[in-house]
């Protein structure tokens, strides 16, 4: 949210343009061992975490923030991922 607000103050800001238009570099957030971390949380904590991650994905894209969640040993079974 802070970067979005800062982007609006940029002298070259135009509505509808993203971080690249302003010459800002993308930022990659890597959340490794996501499943192991999730298993350590309570239901309330995991719900809160998912809510925050959704915000990063939905709002972050315009500001140049991208979430990477690596997965180990994924297999495709009938067009769907399966562990």
């Amino acid at each position: 949210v802070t970067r979005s607000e800062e982007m609006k103050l940029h002298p070259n800001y135009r509505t509808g343009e993203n971080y690249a238009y302003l010459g800002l570099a993308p930022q990659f957030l890597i959340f490794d061992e996501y499943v192991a971390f999730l298993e350590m949380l309570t239901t309330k904590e995991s719900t809160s975490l998912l809510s925050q991650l959704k915000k990063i994905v939905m709002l972050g894209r315009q500001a140049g923030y991208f979430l990477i969640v690596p997965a180990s040993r994924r297999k495709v079974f009938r067009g769907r991922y399966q562990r």
Side-chain angles (χ1 to χ4, degrees):
V1 175
T2 302
R3 187 169 186 178
S4 293
E5 293 168 356
E6 290 172 354
M7 286 172 54
K8 290 177 184 175
L9 299 175
H10 194 282
N12 296 332
Y13 175 78
R14 285 181 41 185
T15 302
E17 297 294 348
N18 66 15
Y19 70 98
Y21 176 80
L22 299 175
L24 301 174
Q27 301 294 313
F28 297 95
L29 308 170
I30 302 171
F31 194 152
D32 197 17
E33 299 296 339
Y34 169 75
V35 174
F37 182 73
L38 203 58
E39 289 177 357
M40 296 183 336
L41 302 177
T42 65
T43 302
K44 184 177 180 179
E45 290 170 330
S46 65
T47 300
S48 177
L49 173 67
L50 290 173
S51 175
Q52 295 303 315
L53 291 177
K54 286 179 189 178
K55 287 179 186 177
I56 291 171
V57 171
M58 299 303 292
L59 301 175
R61 181 177 53 216
Q62 186 77 10
Y65 286 96
F66 301 96
L67 179 65
I68 299 173
V69 183
S72 300
R73 292 179 271 147
R74 297 290 246 171
K75 296 179 184 178
V76 175
F77 179 73
R78 293 185 188 172
R80 295 180 184 221
Y81 286 108
Q82 184 181 51
R83 282 196 243 178

